[in-house]
Amino acid sequence: AQTVTQSQPEMSVQEAETVTLSCTYDTSESDYYLFWYKQPPSRQMILVIRQEAYKQQNATENRFSVNFQKAAKSFSLKISDSQLGDAAMYFCAYTLSPGTYKYIFGTGTRLKVLA
Amino acid sequence: DAGVTQSPTHLIKTRGQQVTLRCSPKSGHDTVSWYQQALGQGPQFIFQYYEEEERQRGNFPDRFSGHQFPNYSSELNVNALLLGDSALYLCASSSGLAGVKNIQYFGAGTRLSVL
């Protein structure tokens, strides 16, 4: 069975600094998608970034980038130039490709941004 | 363009009662998935509806049932409520079974408290 593990329950970062959130997963599949979602106090999950397993190149979205290590089954999120608005719960998620929306989520990492 | 909307935002029930939660998908989306997010945990997949049929189901008992209407909106029903059913229930919508890059858009959830 597929599992997703986030080993950092909480992380803190100074405003304008860089922080990396860790995620590991377990699967026997070769083709899948990985996501990072952000959940602010408003509760709505917001997609931060997405990675297709068959792509070697790491995904990047503005200040957000991932380090995808397929062999190690690792998918970390790097946030550069951290802003106060980045404070939230961050969830790593996995889903098989194609054709399913059954996401498997990790337990989340709470990110605090210090002014 | 309205995103995914859920109602009600908060609900209090007592053990043994039944509850119905509602979800309207994002405009243009026809697939709805439901997740349960217990306090301090990541969301867990309950089931997915497409073309008014349940297409996939997670590890939830039959007390959890759903429905999708011709306009793609959906309901989640939980019978014989238990204290352990207290959670945030998230609805997510997407386009088609295969989807566009397997991306789901989430609503802000319904917070269910069972006393």
Side-chain angles (χ1 to χ4, degrees), chain A residues 37 43-44 50 100-101 103, chain B residues 35 56 99 101-102 106:
Chain A
Y37 274 87
R43 308 185 318 200
Q44 187 160 15
R50 170 185 167 276
T100 176
Y101 293 111
Y103 284 16
Chain B
Y35 290 80
Q56 276 192 296
K101 303 179 181 180
N102 283 46
F106 286 81

Side-chain angles (χ1 to χ4, degrees), chain B residues 79-94:
Chain B
N79 293 323
L81 284 167
L82 304 174
L83 295 179
D85 295 331
S86 295
L88 179 67
Y89 288 85
L90 296 169
C91 171
S93 77
S94 46

